[in-house]
Amino acid sequence: MSEAIFDKIKNKYKSSKHPVYWDLYKHVFSGFDLAKELNIFEIGVDQGHGMLQFKELFPNCSICGLDIREDTPSSPVGNVWIGSQTDTELLSKINEDEGPFDIIIDDGSHQNDHQIESFEYLFPKLKAGGIYIVEDIHTSYWESCKGGYGKNSFVNYCKKLSDLINYEAWIKGFQSPKDFNWYVNEDDVKKYNSYNISKEIYKNINCISFYPNVIVIYKSNKEAEYQLGNVSI
C-alpha cells in the first residue's frame, strides 16, 4: 500500500474532515487492498469532500452518504440520502439498496446519543471483517453534545465494549492455581449484566482502536473470532 495517496488526499481537498485523520487512516487501512471493490457509507456529507476523498482512496468502491440537511449538495461519486442518522427505517433502506457495507464512517451530528444509536443499529449489519469509524469523538467531553466525563458518551460506551469483549472473564471469573476450580465475582457479573448491550455487538468485535478524536471498531470474520469462548487458560 502506498502511503503517498493519503498525503495526496489530505492536501487536495478543503474538507471539513480534519487532515490529520488521514495520517491515522494510514494505520487503519493498512490491511486493506485499496483496489478492492468495497461498499462504503459516510454519515455526514457536508459539502461532499469526504465522499470524494474515500472514492479516491478506494477507486473501485461504491460509496454513498447521508446528511440531515435538505440543501446538501449531490455527489458525483455516489448517492446522497437525506435524513437523520437515527432514523432506523431510513438506515435499513440505505443498507438494502447500497449495502451491506465494508466501511462505515460516522461524521454526522456528533451528538453522543446519535453516535450510539447509529452504531447499535448499523454495526450488526456491517459485513464480516468490516470496520466502523466514528470521527470527532472529542465531543464525548462536551456537554453541548450530550457528553461529559461521567456521562453516557460514545467514549464511555466504547469503554464498556472493551470490557464486554472480555465477557468470558466476567462470567467464568478466574481459575484458582491451588485447586483449579473456577471462582466468579457475583458483583462483577451484576455489573456486566447492567451494561445492557446486545451480545450480537460485542461478540462480533475483534478489536477496538482508540485514536485521538477517532475510534475504530473492527468486526470479526466470525462470531467470537479472537475471544476465548470455552478455552481454559
Side-chain angles (χ1 to χ4, degrees):
M1 181 186 69
S2 173
E3 294 189 356
I5 184 65
F6 292 89
D7 294 325
K8 176 185 176 184
I9 290 171
K10 176 176 69 174
N11 298 316
K12 182 175 179 180
Y13 298 94
K14 293 182 179 180
S15 174
S16 60
K17 197 179 300 294
H18 295 286
V20 71
Y21 290 175
W22 295 101
D23 296 322
L24 301 179
Y25 290 158
K26 291 178 186 178
H27 303 280
V28 174
F29 297 122
S30 62
F32 274 72
D33 176 1
L34 301 184
K36 188 176 180 180
E37 294 181 0
L38 301 172
N39 291 335
I40 300 176
F41 178 36
E42 183 178 43
I43 300 171
V45 172
D46 193 40
Q47 297 302 305
H49 294 134
M51 289 179 64
L52 290 171
Q53 287 170 304
F54 278 105
K55 181 64 175 179
E56 188 158 346
L57 181 64
F58 297 101
N60 296 317
C61 78
S62 295
I63 188 167
C64 66
L66 170 68
D67 204 287
I68 199 167
R69 295 181 300 108
E70 293 186 0
D71 62 347
T72 302
S74 59
S75 172
V77 297
N79 292 327
V80 175
W81 297 71
I82 303 299
S84 170
Q85 70 177 92
T86 61
D87 182 342
T88 55
E89 288 188 12
L90 176 59
L91 294 178
S92 178
K93 176 66 173 172
I94 294 171
N95 188 70
E96 287 178 12
D97 287 5
E98 314 232 27
F101 296 106
D102 301 275
I103 301 170
I104 297 176
I105 310 101
D106 183 348
D107 186 20
S109 73
H110 304 119
Q111 296 290 323
N112 283 269
D113 52 341
H114 293 177
Q115 291 169 333
I116 293 170
E117 287 180 50
S118 298
F119 172 79
E120 290 195 329
Y121 188 78
L122 289 171
F123 186 78
K125 301 180 183 301
L126 188 68
K127 281 187 185 179
I131 63 173
Y132 195 104
I133 301 169
V134 180
E135 298 180 339
D136 299 336
I137 53 82
H138 47 274
T139 63
S140 281
Y141 305 95
W142 293 2
E143 296 283 349
S144 61
C145 292
K146 300 182 182 178
Y149 186 77
K151 301 293 182 65
N152 190 31
S153 67
F154 191 74
V155 165
N156 284 334
Y157 176 84
C158 288
K159 289 177 182 177
K160 292 179 183 180
L161 289 180
S162 67
D163 287 332
L164 290 177
I165 61 175
N166 293 291
Y167 65 94
E168 286 292 339
W170 294 64
I171 301 303
K172 293 177 68 175
F174 69 95
Q175 190 175 26
S176 167
K178 294 182 179 180
D179 58 18
F180 300 102
N181 289 325
W182 286 94
Y183 294 88
V184 175
N185 185 324
E186 294 299 332
D187 288 336
D188 283 348
V189 174
K190 288 180 182 177
K191 185 178 180 183
Y192 162 88
N193 289 329
S194 74
Y195 278 4
N196 195 30
I197 296 175
S198 168
K199 289 185 178 181
E200 187 179 9
I201 292 175
Y202 65 78
K203 291 183 77 171
N204 284 285
I205 294 174
N206 67 24
C207 180
I208 305 173
S209 294
F210 291 80
Y211 294 91
N213 304 316
V214 175
I215 293 177
V216 183
I217 302 170
Y218 297 79
K219 190 168 185 178
S220 303
N221 287 297
K222 58 182 180 180
E223 184 176 280
E225 183 176 15
Y226 296 125
Q227 297 169 0
L228 292 177
N230 294 317
V231 178
S232 298
I233 56 174

